[in-house]
């Protein structure tokens, strides 16, 4: 179930549907693109770091590239 606390809406999402997954993926990738463009426009950088990655290495690499 999906719960939207702001609107008090509870809904079920069929995650077994490839159409639903595809739609969510498309929306996610669109949001990432908007996020990255906004940061680039403001002169800030973006670091992509997953839970399996070392954020320290990513940060060091980021600052090394900016200098």
């Amino acid at each position: 179930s999906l719960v939207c606390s702001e609107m008090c809406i509870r809904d079920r999402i069929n995650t077994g549907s490839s159409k639903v997954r595809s739609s969510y993926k498309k929306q996610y990738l669109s949001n990432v693109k908007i996020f990255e463009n906004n940061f680039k426009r403001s002169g800030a950088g973006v670091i992509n770091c997953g839970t399996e990655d070392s954020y320290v290495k990513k940060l060091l690499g980021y600052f090394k590239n900016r200098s």
Side-chain angles (χ1 to χ4, degrees), residues 28-29 31-37 39-40 44-63 65:
Y28 168 77
L29 293 174
N31 289 344
V32 168
K33 188 179 282 188
I34 291 167
F35 170 82
E36 289 176 344
N37 287 338
F39 268 67
K40 286 178 185 175
V46 175
I47 301 172
N48 293 314
C49 185
T51 56
E52 69 282 352
D53 299 329
S54 166
Y55 72 91
V56 174
K57 288 181 183 177
K58 296 274 187 167
L59 281 173
L60 291 174
Y62 172 78
F63 288 118
N65 289 335

Side-chain angles (χ1 to χ4, degrees), residues 1-64:
S1 292
L2 175 69
V3 178
C4 177
S5 60
E6 293 176 3
M7 299 178 68
C8 300
I9 296 173
R10 178 172 278 214
D11 202 0
R12 295 194 185 277
I13 299 173
N14 182 3
T15 57
S17 166
S18 61
K19 188 175 180 181
V20 170
R21 288 192 312 271
S22 176
S23 175
Y24 269 86
K25 182 177 182 178
K26 184 178 177 181
Q27 184 61 46
Y28 168 77
L29 293 174
S30 173
N31 289 344
V32 168
K33 188 179 282 188
I34 291 167
F35 170 82
E36 289 176 344
N37 287 338
N38 287 339
F39 268 67
K40 286 178 185 175
R41 254 191 315 224
S42 70
V46 175
I47 301 172
N48 293 314
C49 185
T51 56
E52 69 282 352
D53 299 329
S54 166
Y55 72 91
V56 174
K57 288 181 183 177
K58 296 274 187 167
L59 281 173
L60 291 174
Y62 172 78
F63 288 118
K64 183 178 180 181

